[in-house]
């Protein structure tokens, strides 16, 4: 993890916390978000501890939850998400909730990323998604990861709703059978992959 | 000019039979028709009698801009070219082609809003326009040459900053499927042969003037910034195709395909398009890579940059560099185009190694776009290629050609998907060589007639995409339900209307579209999910009417109906709303003519009515509902076998479509029984003389 450049940090009296801990934590979250990244509670803590590493200004383990809670409470743009074994933070100044959720699912691994993305697209947008979606930014999975993920889903309870349809031009699209009817998914996949290009 | 801004003030007329050149005052004669197609239809109504054929000297070809051309209004680079259409079957009727590039702006700077060409020169000529200097020049040295060299030859004379609109060998040889092309790739399809019939090879234009904005400079600049803030990507898609940090929504099918990691790989210094936050209006040009959208992600590495029209930040024509085509096929490595023009070559092949989006497909497309844009061949919005595949694999070509002619083509190359085959085919279309070269250039309707094939049968095959009168569907019922169907009824060519499809494919989720639709057309029922169509609703008829009025308004103001309307935006803080008044705001400030949105919409309706009146007059019947507004059979069929209005079925219901027509004609103030505008409606929109003329011919219901 590279050290972020902290700008405009105001040193304030934060009660039991060392003066600028909350502001430092907020700044690192904003900077990570500007780079389209989530930042974990432990990363924030490490960073703040490193910056405050002197006998007078270090923070204790008990201070950390207080610091993180205050950071979110005192800054409207900062939000937290739980998952992938941690608490994660982002700033809505440069990242939407939707994007932050995708990043979190990415941290939870290819299987969950693919499944939740497919389910979200099937329910919120009523559409299947092409496999290629997962190989492009921000998903950035390899071909192998995608196929391994699909194999895992096929052999694991809890993913029975994830189905695929193949277009006349051999495009593979994924959808959730609980949220999108098979005929509808098939028609939409054919349109997206073949029909749309014929109706430019 | 009576103090109006926007307009240049003069309409230039040229009679090529006599050599006479004169000007009319735009405001006096055409202000109530704005410009563009408005001027085009008015000239056709006033000056071209019924029964005139496309290649008759009496036919006019009108190159018309609108009051926003040459201003800094975004996407204001369009020229509408109106004439009698040679591919309109079985009777040629009025229609318009639309050309981008710099021609419209240059014409305005030279002092003209439009050029009306009539007559026929006694030898090949080209027209030179440099401000007040308008001259007819001998074109013998460029007649017979392709568009590229003809354009270069004229630019050598007029200067590199001139704009040239030219035809290729196809137009010279009176091939109905011909284009007029300006710049490197801005074509108006279907009408090159009308120029050819007048022995007019090209028009070169340059101007040193400017366009006056009637409003205050600060207000104009503020309005332009506001309009820019509402812009999305190509086709006004407002959600990105992949998740972006700034975006609440995404849609893999939109043309907003910029993303960190997507690079213009063939630029001198490769450029990363970045995430393209919509608030950064200086990066609008990076939002779309049209070639990557159509030809696949593999073309990112061949992308030099986007190109486009005067005053348009969207740059929908992608410049590609494919070095392999120079050595293999002897064509330039660099080429550019947009939309179907990008796919001109590969679309001829049923099978191509690696598929349409593979490396050979890309080479075929480079061959296709270079040949088509030099020879001046039009694809009829892809119908040419679809017809060709059907005719070949259906055995019709073999049956219709002599053994000798059939043997002149390397069919094995064709079946293998070898791009070299295009060098055998396209020059023969442009030269009308042999039966096949001739018949393919006729357009679908006349091709069917000549080869004694059934239009009805053509209309049953959904894959052909054929609609009526020799032309294909253009964003029809399969993607836009009843609204798309209604729009495809009206014109005498493919509909070329994007107002509706740009809205429904803008990438916003359906619940957001429905919220916006409620504000625009009075009900969320106006829009349906794709493949989840619902029965006809009055708001769908309102949306269809709105779409057509916006199209005519854009075509008359020189705004681009491919990029607009701007009724949705990428701005979350606006609830993704755009502004349906942007056209009238621009018009009012540019010209000083204080028409609000409703008043300007009424002008659009007048223009649209005049198109209908011309169609009725020249067909000699008011029975539009049965004889003109036809629907192909495939619209009612679906391979799923499900009934209409079930999920996954895209076909329409016959009874529902009758209801849709009724509502549509009612919304327009047209007679439901015939589909013809009533005299009252003509009068309501200031076309009393048109009503009287049609009434005299018994062509206007009371």
């Amino acid at each position: 993890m590279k050290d972020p450049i902290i700008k405009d940090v105001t040193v304030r009296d934060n009660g039991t916390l060392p003066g600028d801990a909350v502001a430092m934590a907020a700044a690192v979250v904003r900077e990570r978000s500007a780079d389209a990244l989530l930042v974990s509670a432990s990363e924030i803590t490490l960073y703040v501890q490193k910056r405050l590493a002197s006998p007078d200004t270090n923070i204790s383990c008990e201070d950390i939850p207080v610091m993180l809670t205050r950071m979110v409470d005192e800054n409207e743009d900062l939000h937290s998400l739980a998952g992938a074994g941690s608490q994660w933070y982002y700033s809505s100044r440069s990242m939407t909730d939707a994007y932050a959720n995708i990043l979190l699912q990415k941290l939870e691994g290819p299987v969950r990323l693919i499944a939740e993305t497919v389910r979200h697209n099937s329910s919120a947008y009523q559409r299947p998604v092409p496999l290629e979606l997962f190989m492009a930014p921000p998903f950035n999975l390899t071909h192998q990861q995608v196929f391994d993920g699909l194999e895992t889903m096929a052999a694991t309870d809890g993913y029975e709703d994830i189905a695929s349809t193949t277009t006349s031009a051999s495009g593979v699209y994924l959808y959730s059978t609980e949220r999108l009817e098979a005929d509808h998914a098939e028609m939409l996949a054919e349109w997206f992959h073949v029909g749309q290009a014929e109706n430019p | 000019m009576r103090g109006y801004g926007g307009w240049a003030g003069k309409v230039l007329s040229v009679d090529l039979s006599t050599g006479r050149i004169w000007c009319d005052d735009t405001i006096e004669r055409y202000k109530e028709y704005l410009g563009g197609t408005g001027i085009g239809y008015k000239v056709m109504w006033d000056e071209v009698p019924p029964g005139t054929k496309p290649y008759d000297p009496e036919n006019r070809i009108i190159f018309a801009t609108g009051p926003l051309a040459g201003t800094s209004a975004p996407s204001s680079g369009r020229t509408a070219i109106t004439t009698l259409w040679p591919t309109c079957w079985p009777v040629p009727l009025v229609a318009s082609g639309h050309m981008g590039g710099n021609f419209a702006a240059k014409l305005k700077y030279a002092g003209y809003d439009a050029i009306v060409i009539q007559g026929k020169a006694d030898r090949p000529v080209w027209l030179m326009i440099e401000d007040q200097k308008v001259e007819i020049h001998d074109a013998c040295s460029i007649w017979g040459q392709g568009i590229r060299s003809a354009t270069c030859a004229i630019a050598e004379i007029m200067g590199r900053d001139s704009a040239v609109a030219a035809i290729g060998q196809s137009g010279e040889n009176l091939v109905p499927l011909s284009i007029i092309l300006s710049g490197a790739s801005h074509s108006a399809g279907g009408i090159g042969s009308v120029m050819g019939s007048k022995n007019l090879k090209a028009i070169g234009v340059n101007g040193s003037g400017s366009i006056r904005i009637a409003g205050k400079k600060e207000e104009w600049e503020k309005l332009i910034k506001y309009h820019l803030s509402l812009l999305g990507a190509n086709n006004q898609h407002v959600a990105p195709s992949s998740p972006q940090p700034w975006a609440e929504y995404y849609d893999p099918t939109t043309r907003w395909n910029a993303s960190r990691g997507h690079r213009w790989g063939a630029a001198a210094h490769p450029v990363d398009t970045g995430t393209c936050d919509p608030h950064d209006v200086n990066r609008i040009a990076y939002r779309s890579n049209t070639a990557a959208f159509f030809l696949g992600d593999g073309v990112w590495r061949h992308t030099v940059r986007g190109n486009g029209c005067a005053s348009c930040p969207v740059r929908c024509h992608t410049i590609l560099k494919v070095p392999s085509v120079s050595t293999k096929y002897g064509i330039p490595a660099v080429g550019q185009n947009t939309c179907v023009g990008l796919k001109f070559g590969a679309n001829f092949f049923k099978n191509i190694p690696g598929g349409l989006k593979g490396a050979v497909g890309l080479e075929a497309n480079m061959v296709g776009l270079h040949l088509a844009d030099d020879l001046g061949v039009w694809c009829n919005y892809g119908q040419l290629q679809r017809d060709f595949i059907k005719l070949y694999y259906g055995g019709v070509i073999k049956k219709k050609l002599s053994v000798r002619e059939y043997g002149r083509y390397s069919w094995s190359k064709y079946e293998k998907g070898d791009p070299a085959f295009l060098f055998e085919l396209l020059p023969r279309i442009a030269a009308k060589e042999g039966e096949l070269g001739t018949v393919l250039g006729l357009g679908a309707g006349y091709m069917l007639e000549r080869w004694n094939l059934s239009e009805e049968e053509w209309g049953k095959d959904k894959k052909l995409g054929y609609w009526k009168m020799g032309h294909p569907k253009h964003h029809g019922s399969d993607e836009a339900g009843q609204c798309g169907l209604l729009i495809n009824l009206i014109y005498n060519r493919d509909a070329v209307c994007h107002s509706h499809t740009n809205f429904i494919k803008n990438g916003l989720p359906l619940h957001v579209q429905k919220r916006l639709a409620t504000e625009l057309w009075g009900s969320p029922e106006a829009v349906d999910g794709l493949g989840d169509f619902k029965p006809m609703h009055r708001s769908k008829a309102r949306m269809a009417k709105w779409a057509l009025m916006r199209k005519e308004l854009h075509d008359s103001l020189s705004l681009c109906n491919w990029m607009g309307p701007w009724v949705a935006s990428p701005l979350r803080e606006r609830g993704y709303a755009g502004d349906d008044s942007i056209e009238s705001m621009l018009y009012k400030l540019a010209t000083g003519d204080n028409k609000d949105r409703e008043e300007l919409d009424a002008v659009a309706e007048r223009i649209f009515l005049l198109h209908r009146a011309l169609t009725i007059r020249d067909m000699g019947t008011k029975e539009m509902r049965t004889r003109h507004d036809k629907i192909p059979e495939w619209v009612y069929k679906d391979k799923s076998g499900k009934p209409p209005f079930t999920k996954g079925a895209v076909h329409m219901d016959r009874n529902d479509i009758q209801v849709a027509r009724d509502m549509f004609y009612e919304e327009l103030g047209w007679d439901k029984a015939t589909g013809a505008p009533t005299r009252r409606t003509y009068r309501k929109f200031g076309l009393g003389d048109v009503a009287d003329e049609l009434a005299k011919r018994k062509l206007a219901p009371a």
Side-chain angles (χ1 to χ4, degrees):
Chain A
M1 178 174 124
K2 68 171 184 177
D3 280 348
I5 302 158
I6 303 296
K7 296 170 192 159
D8 303 325
V9 173
T10 309
V11 177
R12 291 177 292 158
D13 177 5
N14 280 317
T16 60
L17 287 171
D20 49 4
V22 171
M24 279 183 174
V28 76
V29 173
R30 290 188 184 117
E31 184 160 314
R32 284 288 187 272
S33 292
D35 286 340
L37 296 168
L38 297 178
V39 57
S40 67
S42 57
E43 281 177 290
I44 296 170
T45 306
L46 274 175
Y47 175 76
V48 173
Q49 283 177 330
K50 190 175 165 190
R51 298 284 296 200
L52 295 175
S54 74
D56 300 330
T57 58
N58 215 341
I59 54 173
S60 66
C61 289
E62 296 78 44
D63 289 336
I64 292 164
V66 177
M67 176 187 74
L68 294 171
T69 304
R70 283 186 49 190
M71 178 186 77
V72 172
D73 289 349
E74 293 171 12
N75 295 280
E76 278 188 356
D77 64 309
L78 301 188
H79 308 274
S80 70
L81 289 169
S86 183
Q87 198 72 21
W88 301 85
Y89 296 86
Y90 65 97
S91 165
S92 55
R93 285 185 194 171
S94 47
M95 189 186 293
T96 61
D97 297 346
Y99 194 83
N101 271 306
I102 290 170
L103 294 185
L104 179 64
Q105 287 155 7
K106 195 173 167 182
L107 289 163
E108 290 171 334
V111 171
R112 184 154 162 77
L113 176 65
I114 294 169
E116 290 311 310
T117 303
V118 168
R119 286 169 181 151
H120 177 67
N121 273 272
S122 290
S123 60
Y125 298 100
Q126 286 283 291
R127 68 183 177 219
V129 291
L131 279 190
E132 290 75 16
L133 177 73
F134 299 104
M135 299 168 207
F139 303 100
N140 289 324
L141 299 180
T142 63
H143 196 266
Q144 195 58 48
Q145 282 175 311
V146 172
F147 283 91
D148 287 349
L150 292 176
E151 273 193 10
T152 304
M153 276 190 256
T156 310
D157 287 346
Y159 298 102
E160 294 82 0
D161 63 313
I162 305 299
S164 69
T165 179
T166 304
T167 70
S168 63
S170 304
V172 177
Y173 282 69
L174 302 175
Y175 66 100
S176 164
T177 54
E178 288 174 4
R179 296 158 173 87
L180 194 57
E181 290 177 17
D183 286 355
H184 196 193
E186 187 186 327
M187 173 258 139
L188 289 168
E190 185 67 18
W191 173 264
F192 296 151
H193 195 228
V194 181
Q196 184 166 255
E198 290 172 356
N199 293 265
Chain B
M1 276 287 285
R2 299 175 200 166
Y4 288 112
W7 287 283
K10 287 178 291 193
V11 169
L12 176 69
S13 288
V14 178
D15 186 338
L16 292 172
S17 296
T18 63
R20 185 178 168 232
I21 296 168
W22 72 99
C23 288
D24 290 302
D25 187 291
T26 309
I27 302 301
E28 269 179 29
R29 287 197 66 169
Y30 301 110
K31 175 174 169 286
E32 298 311 312
Y33 298 88
L34 301 177
T37 50
I39 291 180
Y41 301 153
K42 179 65 174 157
V43 169
M44 295 300 287
W45 179 265
D46 288 345
E47 301 180 20
V48 181
T52 305
K53 298 287 184 287
Y55 301 152
D56 289 348
E58 292 75 24
N59 185 21
R60 307 294 196 261
I61 182 164
I62 304 116
F63 295 73
T65 73
L68 296 179
T71 72
S72 55
S75 307
S76 61
R78 306 297 295 179
T79 304
I81 308 173
T82 305
T83 190
L84 289 171
W85 268 55
T87 56
C88 178
W89 177 84
V91 180
L93 297 165
V94 69
S96 295
H98 313 93
M99 181 174 77
N102 296 317
F103 190 89
K106 292 288 180 184
L107 187 65
K108 294 284 290 287
Y109 299 154
Y112 308 99
D113 295 298
I115 312 164
V116 181
I117 307 283
Q118 65 182 77
K120 178 181 179 180
D122 57 7
R123 64 192 192 291
V125 299
W126 66 277
L127 185 66
M128 184 169 90
I129 302 168
E130 280 180 335
D131 295 331
Q132 284 77 34
K133 187 169 84 175
V134 180
E135 295 172 348
I136 300 168
H137 286 264
D138 186 278
C140 287
S141 63
I142 52 173
W143 195 262
Q145 292 189 21
I147 291 173
R148 304 274 194 240
S149 55
T151 299
C152 288
I154 291 171
E156 283 284 315
I157 297 165
M158 296 189 66
R160 291 182 65 178
D161 61 338
S162 58
V164 179
I167 59 169
Q169 294 91 335
S170 183
E172 293 174 8
N173 293 325
L174 308 188
V175 175
L177 281 190
S178 295
I179 59 166
I180 298 169
L181 189 128
S182 181
S185 56
H186 300 281
S187 60
I191 45 185
S193 62
V194 177
M195 271 179 79
S197 74
K198 297 183 180 304
N199 273 330
L200 179 62
K201 177 71 177 178
I203 301 174
V205 59
N206 212 345
S208 59
S210 59
I211 298 303
R212 189 176 75 81
I213 302 298
K216 289 180 182 166
K217 182 183 171 192
E218 313 80 65
E219 287 179 27
W220 179 255
E221 287 178 350
K222 193 174 159 193
L223 178 58
I224 297 305
K225 281 180 185 164
Y226 174 59
H227 191 183
L228 287 172
S229 79
L230 303 178
L231 258 60
N234 185 8
N235 286 56
Q236 191 56 9
H237 290 178
V238 298
S241 65
S242 60
Q244 299 299 325
W246 53 266
E248 190 177 15
Y249 305 119
Y250 68 98
D251 179 348
T253 68
T254 73
R255 301 187 189 194
W256 187 321
N257 50 5
S259 183
R260 194 174 284 164
H262 276 163
R263 300 187 339 148
W264 295 347
H269 301 285
V271 176
D272 192 299
T273 59
T275 55
C276 286
D277 186 303
H279 299 93
D280 186 352
V281 296
N282 291 321
R283 293 189 69 84
I284 293 173
Y286 295 88
R287 293 177 186 173
S288 290
N289 181 331
T290 312
F293 177 80
F294 283 113
L295 309 182
D297 281 343
V299 304
W300 279 102
R301 67 191 176 92
H302 294 289
T303 300
V304 179
R305 63 180 171 89
N307 205 352
C309 304
S311 200
C312 183
V314 178
R315 322 315 281 168
C316 69
H317 287 235
T318 312
I319 302 176
L320 296 173
K321 186 176 185 181
V322 185
S324 61
V325 298
S326 291
T327 46
K328 283 187 190 171
Y329 307 107
I331 59 171
V334 176
Q336 68 176 58
N337 220 303
T338 191
C339 197
V340 286
L342 283 164
K343 308 193 303 168
F344 197 103
N347 270 3
F348 275 101
F349 299 96
K350 189 173 180 181
N351 304 304
I352 205 157
L356 292 173
K357 294 183 176 178
V360 180
L362 178 59
E363 289 182 353
N365 285 320
M366 290 295 285
V367 171
L369 71 86
H370 275 300
L371 285 177
D373 284 353
D374 195 37
L375 296 163
V377 176
W378 187 42
C379 72
N380 194 12
Y381 193 51
Q383 190 69 48
L384 170 65
Q385 289 92 336
R386 293 191 295 272
D387 288 348
F388 184 76
I389 290 171
K390 168 103 172 168
L391 293 168
Y392 178 75
Y393 286 99
V396 178
I397 290 176
K398 191 167 192 178
K399 193 172 149 195
K400 295 287 180 183
L401 300 194
S402 67
V403 174
R404 190 172 171 185
E405 183 178 347
Y406 191 80
R408 285 193 200 121
Y409 289 87
S410 306
W411 296 110
S412 61
K413 268 189 192 172
Y414 173 62
E415 290 191 9
K416 285 177 193 161
D418 184 343
F421 178 78
L422 298 171
F423 289 95
E424 297 182 23
L425 184 68
L426 293 174
R428 284 172 169 147
I429 296 174
K432 278 186 174 170
E433 186 184 316
E435 177 65 11
L436 185 60
T438 302
V439 85
L440 290 175
L442 292 174
Y446 293 97
M447 177 270 288
L448 293 171
E449 183 180 305
R450 181 164 167 137
W451 277 3
N452 200 25
L453 300 167
S454 157
E455 189 200 25
E456 197 182 334
E457 288 301 312
W458 234 242
K460 285 180 183 171
D461 187 344
K462 187 179 178 189
K463 277 186 80 68
L464 277 174
Y466 180 80
W467 195 273
K468 66 177 175 110
M469 300 174 80
H471 297 97
K473 66 173 173 173
H474 205 126
H475 304 301
S477 56
D478 46 347
E479 68 176 84
Q482 296 93 338
C483 179
L485 181 144
L486 294 169
I487 286 164
N488 274 267
L489 298 180
I490 296 301
Y491 290 100
N492 302 318
R493 56 165 298 185
D494 54 311
V496 205
C497 178
H498 303 89
S499 315
H500 60 311
T501 189
N502 287 0
F503 182 82
I504 62 174
K505 293 203 284 200
N506 62 21
L508 296 172
L510 188 59
H511 71 272
V512 178
Q513 290 187 342
K514 282 184 172 289
R515 174 168 51 74
L516 298 176
T518 306
E519 291 164 20
L520 291 162
W521 307 298
S523 169
E525 307 291 325
V527 289
D528 296 324
L530 184 60
D532 188 16
F533 297 128
K534 302 286 189 288
M536 186 60 189
H537 187 272
R538 175 68 61 179
S539 59
K540 293 182 180 181
R542 280 198 288 269
M543 182 181 176
K545 178 182 173 181
W546 167 88
L548 290 164
M549 295 313 137
R550 281 289 164 279
K551 170 188 157 44
E552 289 299 343
L553 196 55
H554 293 168
D555 291 348
S556 300
L557 292 172
S558 276
L559 290 177
C560 181
N561 188 253
W562 281 255
M563 297 306 132
W566 297 272
V567 290
S569 78
L571 302 179
R572 188 181 182 185
E573 62 271 27
R574 289 178 62 91
Y576 302 99
D579 195 327
D580 197 25
S581 298
I582 200 78
E583 293 89 350
S584 57
M585 292 158 82
L586 289 165
Y587 173 80
K588 202 186 314 189
L589 213 50
T591 64
D593 182 19
N594 282 318
K595 284 188 170 63
D596 61 18
R597 188 183 73 201
E598 287 75 19
E599 289 167 320
L600 200 60
D601 281 352
V603 180
E605 197 155 355
R606 179 184 303 133
I607 294 165
F608 183 64
L609 269 174
L610 196 51
H611 175 275
R612 190 69 162 181
L614 275 162
T615 302
I616 289 170
R617 186 193 72 176
D618 291 358
M619 280 184 74
T621 178
K622 65 182 178 209
E623 301 300 329
M624 292 288 102
R625 184 167 184 143
T626 51
R627 295 184 58 185
H628 180 277
D629 301 347
K630 292 182 180 173
I631 300 166
E633 193 61 21
W634 65 257
V635 164
Y636 301 115
K637 306 287 182 199
D638 192 275
K639 65 175 182 180
S640 72
K642 287 181 167 186
F645 310 126
T646 51
K647 282 190 177 179
V650 293
H651 59 315
M652 297 284 107
D653 175 81
R654 289 179 199 278
N655 292 331
D656 182 74
I657 290 305
Q658 294 307 323
V659 175
R661 284 169 180 264
D662 287 348
M663 286 184 181
F664 182 55
Y665 295 143
E666 277 172 1
E667 284 295 318
L668 290 162
W670 297 359
D671 174 49
K672 279 197 294 187
T674 60
T678 62
R679 276 173 262 173
R680 188 176 165 184
T681 297
Y682 285 123
R683 292 205 171 87
K684 181 180 168 189
F685 291 98
L687 294 174
D689 56 334
V690 171
D692 293 343
E693 176 66 24
L694 291 175
K696 231 189 302 176
R697 296 168 184 261
K698 302 191 186 329
L699 295 174

